[in-house]
Amino acid sequence: MEKGNGPFVGLRVGAPSCVRPVGTLENAVLLAGQVQDVELVFWDCPEGCNLPGPEEISGLRRLGEEAGLSYTVHLPSEARLGSASEAERLGALDQCLRWMDLCRPLEPFAWVLHLCGDERGRIPSRDGARWQDRCSRSLEALCAAAERPRDLCAETLDYDFAWAGELVEEHGLGVCLDVGHLVAGGWDVEASLKRWLDRTKVLHLHGVRRGEDHVSLSWLAPEVRRQVWSALDRDPRPRVGTLEVFTPEDLEDSLRVLAADRAPRGSRKGGEDLDFS
């Protein structure tokens, strides 16, 4: 994936594989005409499982080749790779490794990884050093399974990303900069871009509406969008920008906002004339 064919040099616009209430492959087929990357989102829990079988993986691979789609894979979002319970940590690690083995034939551009804290909030654990040590042990195994450690992208969550950032640098990981999470947590988006964009392979782009995130990009403040677009213009290396919303309406609206923001100056009909010079 050398160049993007989205609104920025090097960037491929993506969307999740669960925008519509149909299977993963059906979603990917419907998304193929709208985006250039599909974020594969799976679940495997007592309430249900949507992990694809070999035939669906083959179908996704064929679709990728025919439609020019790339894939990013979101590893289990609740996998507690830094858990104080060794049994829970090893179980989470095993689940991540199984999902990587399952999706390896798709040659994903990136594996998106949650380094979940022991608790929610601005710090990941009351014993941060031990949490980092346990995460580090899990990351050693995940890096060994990945083709390149930089393909494992630790996502910005609710806590101060400096805690995960130490692990990113120690293991040579990539970053998934979730702009909506930064806004929801009250973190400085521009400072985060300056600090982490050089390691960022994936951005998650979505709005925050009255405390609810993963809604249309129209709910992301124009000033924040301007900061992101300007940073991407300055650093146009290959990346995926996933519009991480989960309804067709939010996706269509997000694509409209993205197109309007990137339209040549003077060609916009209404709205703010943003300056990206």
Side-chain angles (χ1 to χ4, degrees):
M1 193 180 75
E2 294 303 318
K3 295 182 179 180
N5 52 355
F8 304 89
V9 176
L11 189 80
R12 296 173 69 83
V13 175
S17 63
C18 50
V19 170
R20 295 173 176 82
V22 295
T24 299
L25 180 55
E26 294 96 321
N27 264 291
V29 169
L30 293 168
L31 289 169
Q34 295 180 286
V35 298
Q36 298 87 48
D37 183 272
V38 174
E39 178 190 42
L40 299 176
V41 180
F42 305 126
W43 54 85
D44 184 8
C45 57
E47 291 75 24
C49 173
N50 76 332
L51 287 174
E55 289 187 7
E56 192 167 16
I57 290 290
S58 295
L60 288 167
R61 184 178 177 92
R62 285 194 301 273
L63 177 66
E65 293 169 350
E66 294 167 1
L69 282 177
S70 56
Y71 297 102
T72 51
V73 178
H74 202 308
L75 295 175
S77 60
E78 300 299 324
R80 295 188 59 214
L81 295 165
S83 175
S85 164
E86 186 68 357
E88 183 177 30
R89 185 187 74 82
L90 291 174
L93 176 59
D94 179 67
Q95 188 179 30
C96 289
L97 291 171
R98 285 190 288 109
W99 289 24
M100 291 175 73
D101 284 341
L102 177 67
C103 295
R104 204 175 305 280
L106 300 175
E107 301 179 13
F109 176 68
W111 311 92
V112 176
L113 179 68
H114 280 193
L115 292 173
C116 297
D118 293 336
E119 55 191 53
R120 300 298 301 270
R122 299 183 78 80
I123 61 171
S125 174
R126 298 183 186 184
D127 191 343
R130 290 187 178 179
W131 173 81
Q132 286 177 316
D133 180 66
R134 295 189 295 265
C135 286
S136 186
R137 281 184 279 151
S138 297
L139 288 171
E140 287 176 3
L142 290 174
C143 286
E147 184 176 347
R148 294 171 296 271
R150 187 64 71 100
D151 293 346
L152 280 168
C153 295
E155 183 174 339
T156 53
L157 301 176
D158 51 350
Y159 57 79
D160 184 346
F161 192 68
W163 288 96
E166 294 181 24
L167 297 166
V168 166
E169 293 181 325
E170 176 187 350
H171 293 277
L173 307 181
V175 169
C176 172
L177 201 70
D178 190 307
V179 178
H181 288 171
L182 293 173
V183 170
W187 302 107
D188 188 324
V189 172
E190 191 165 29
S192 298
L193 286 163
K194 289 178 180 177
R195 176 66 183 87
W196 295 110
L197 190 62
D198 65 331
R199 284 192 175 272
T200 296
K201 290 196 71 175
V202 180
L203 294 104
H204 285 173
L205 305 168
H206 52 92
V208 180
R209 179 181 57 206
R210 294 185 288 276
E212 176 191 6
D213 58 0
H214 298 286
V215 297
S216 169
L217 199 59
S218 63
W219 289 91
L220 190 65
E223 173 61 26
V224 175
R225 302 201 308 265
R226 181 187 296 113
Q227 291 169 1
V228 176
W229 310 154
S230 296
L232 291 175
D233 282 337
R234 292 191 299 269
D235 185 353
R237 70 190 76 189
R239 294 187 177 91
V240 163
T242 302
L243 298 169
E244 202 174 42
V245 297
F246 300 105
T247 69
E249 295 77 17
D250 277 344
L251 177 59
E252 289 169 10
D253 197 44
S254 297
L255 288 167
R256 178 192 61 77
V257 170
L258 185 59
D261 279 359
R262 296 305 292 177
R265 295 186 65 184
S267 68
R268 299 183 184 89
K269 297 180 179 179
E272 184 178 0
D273 189 14
L274 301 178
D275 182 4
F276 293 101
S277 60

